[in-house]
Amino acid sequence: MKQKIFLTSAIALGVTYPAMAVPTNTGTFPNDGYMQEDYTYTNAATADNMDSVYEGSVNAIAEYTEIPYSAAEGFYLTGVDDNNNATTAECTSGNFCPGVQSTTYENNAFGNTGLQSCSTATSGAYTLSDAGASSSDQCYRTCSGNITLSHATGVSGNDYYDGTNTCEPTGCENGWHVKPRLNLTSTIGTSEGATIRAYIDNKGRFIEEGASHGQSYYGITDNNTWAVDYGSSKGMLVGQVRCSTTPGTINWGHGITTTTFSTETNIADETGQEGAQYCYCNVTGYKDGNGNLQSLSSVWVFGVDLDSASYCARDCSYRCSNYMRSDDSDYLVLRAEVLDSVTGFQSEPASCEANVININWYNADANDISANNAGTATYGSDVRTPVKAQTIKGKTFKGWRFSKPEQTDLP
């Protein structure tokens, strides 16, 4: 009798199974024991590798390290995307964001990491900030309702936590008017030259060109200083010079100039030292047409490489004053750079300034009025009278009295 043969293979039974996936990568078992994704570790199923397990089962525990996340100043962390990259947002008003150097994503959230309240940081005194603020110094309160300006009837601007403010009057009491914030770019201008200048070189020699006012008129006394007078309607700039070993770059030509500005508040005065051949200029003050001097600050701007320290020491003040007074197209662009930097550094805001009142003296000669500077009076200040009144036959001078111009009962 013949034996029956049974075919037990999956093919014989008509059953098929999906193909088994094979990991993409192949390698030896890692020394630190941390197995990576999609790997075949050759001949690695040993007790040495599987924590002394010879039989039964073994656990493969997934371990993770925290990712350090950061945010730039003015931004805070909001979350993590599907690729584990941090998502950030601009700091919101009323808060400040100093930036985040390194923090972790805990319990699927960052909390308030990188976002700090102005109110909390300033004990509730300065609760406002603009979007993108990066420090508590940028927290502010409005000037209105918090700051009083002399003789102002209204005030605008902001008072900042660091002590600076942009408070300015919106109106003034009777007898006073709003004196606008000084803007040298518009006051001096960048299209016309000047004919009058003065400077003091490194030897203390005072040189004046275009006039004969004398040194006291310009208000410069130190070596390596300069002054340029743009006329009574525009005023005067005064400044300093430095001879430095720090080189700068400048490209004269076609009315376009590129300058290298010092990032320091000051640049060392190396006048006379070897290699101090690079001439720098800055602005330190502005004198208006009435002779009132206002202290200012500007960056140092590179003017010229004078080839030697001795030549720079002698000529730097001459060069800077010449650049600032010239109407050459290149120099006008240089002046614009300097004035723009001064405007950025200016700290004197608009203010209430007393009105200057013209006085029309009757029965007084012009010479007697001008001799006592009696033609004007500043509101709230002195009134000066002429040297004498005119003599009128048959009358004794009793005195002058003030009367509004529209009154008609004048003698």
Side-chain angles (χ1 to χ4, degrees):
M1 185 176 177
K2 293 183 178 179
Q3 292 181 327
K4 292 181 178 180
I5 299 174
F6 296 94
L7 299 176
T8 58
S9 71
I11 297 175
L13 295 174
V15 179
T16 60
Y17 295 97
M20 300 297 290
V22 177
T24 303
N25 304 296
T26 302
T28 58
F29 195 78
N31 291 332
D32 60 8
Y34 288 107
M35 297 174 286
Q36 301 303 306
E37 300 168 313
D38 200 23
Y39 253 88
T40 295
Y41 292 109
T42 306
N43 300 325
T46 67
D48 287 342
N49 294 332
M50 295 190 294
D51 199 22
S52 299
V53 172
Y54 289 86
E55 58 184 341
S57 62
V58 64
N59 296 327
I61 307 299
E63 296 183 15
Y64 295 86
T65 57
E66 301 286 358
I67 299 174
Y69 291 102
S70 300
E73 290 184 1
F75 292 82
Y76 67 102
L77 296 165
T78 58
V80 173
D81 64 19
D82 292 338
N83 294 318
N84 262 343
N85 297 314
T87 57
T88 63
E90 186 179 40
C91 201
T92 54
S93 60
N95 298 290
F96 64 96
C97 301
V100 180
Q101 296 301 316
S102 179
T103 191
T104 55
Y105 191 62
E106 302 286 352
N107 300 319
N108 295 323
F110 282 117
N112 289 327
T113 300
L115 184 69
Q116 300 184 38
S117 166
C118 279
S119 180
T120 301
T122 66
S123 301
Y126 299 81
T127 60
L128 306 174
S129 72
D130 295 328
S134 60
S135 97
S136 60
D137 286 346
Q138 293 170 277
C139 298
Y140 64 86
R141 58 182 180 172
T142 60
C143 298
S144 179
N146 295 297
I147 300 296
T148 301
L149 298 180
S150 179
H151 303 291
T153 57
V155 64
S156 65
N158 299 323
D159 172 34
Y160 289 87
Y161 183 55
D162 67 355
T164 61
N165 67 61
T166 58
C167 303
E168 294 185 333
T170 57
C172 299
E173 298 170 350
N174 290 336
W176 302 76
H177 65 276
V178 175
K179 176 186 177 183
R181 182 185 292 268
L182 177 64
N183 185 318
L184 290 181
T185 300
S186 59
T187 302
I188 299 295
T190 56
S191 61
E192 297 179 0
T195 58
I196 301 173
R197 68 160 168 171
Y199 58 92
I200 302 177
D201 66 12
N202 67 311
K203 302 292 186 183
R205 292 172 294 195
F206 170 79
I207 296 101
E208 180 182 15
E209 295 182 6
S212 56
H213 294 303
Q215 186 171 339
S216 61
Y217 173 81
Y218 301 94
I220 54 175
T221 57
D222 297 332
N223 292 2
N224 302 315
T225 55
W226 58 268
V228 175
D229 187 355
Y230 299 92
S232 59
S233 63
K234 294 184 176 182
M236 181 191 305
L237 290 177
V238 295
Q240 298 173 311
V241 304
R242 291 285 185 269
C243 289
S244 175
T245 58
T246 302
T249 58
I250 196 162
N251 177 30
W252 301 120
H254 309 294
I256 300 174
T257 174
T258 303
T259 58
T260 299
F261 290 92
S262 168
T263 57
E264 303 293 332
T265 302
N266 232 326
I267 189 168
D269 183 5
E270 302 166 309
T271 301
Q273 295 185 23
E274 183 178 355
Q277 65 199 53
Y278 303 101
C279 175
Y280 284 82
C281 323
N282 82 344
V283 170
T284 59
Y286 167 74
K287 184 182 290 188
D288 64 24
N290 295 320
N292 301 309
L293 178 64
Q294 176 180 337
S295 295
L296 302 172
S297 180
S298 81
V299 296
W300 288 96
V301 58
F302 174 69
V304 63
D305 177 359
L306 288 171
D307 297 325
S308 72
S310 59
Y311 191 19
C312 185
R314 186 188 69 191
D315 278 11
C316 191
S317 55
Y318 163 82
R319 294 298 185 103
C320 286
S321 60
N322 187 52
Y323 297 156
M324 294 302 292
R325 76 157 178 173
S326 175
D327 60 0
D328 179 273
S329 59
D330 288 328
Y331 297 153
L332 287 174
V333 175
L334 176 64
R335 188 203 302 175
E337 298 262 21
V338 176
L339 296 188
D340 283 347
S341 82
V342 172
T343 301
F345 275 88
Q346 287 169 188
S347 59
E348 182 176 337
S351 61
C352 286
E353 183 178 59
N355 294 338
V356 176
I357 301 171
N358 295 315
I359 304 177
N360 301 313
W361 296 99
Y362 282 74
N363 297 105
D365 293 334
N367 290 339
D368 290 329
I369 296 172
S370 62
N372 282 356
N373 195 20
T376 62
T378 300
Y379 189 83
S381 297
D382 299 338
V383 172
R384 296 173 295 273
T385 64
V387 174
K388 64 181 184 298
Q390 293 173 343
T391 300
I392 297 180
K393 290 182 178 180
K395 294 184 179 181
T396 300
F397 176 66
K398 184 177 180 180
W400 288 283
R401 61 179 177 82
F402 285 126
S403 181
K404 291 181 181 179
E406 62 267 24
Q407 288 182 317
T408 58
D409 60 340
L410 297 175

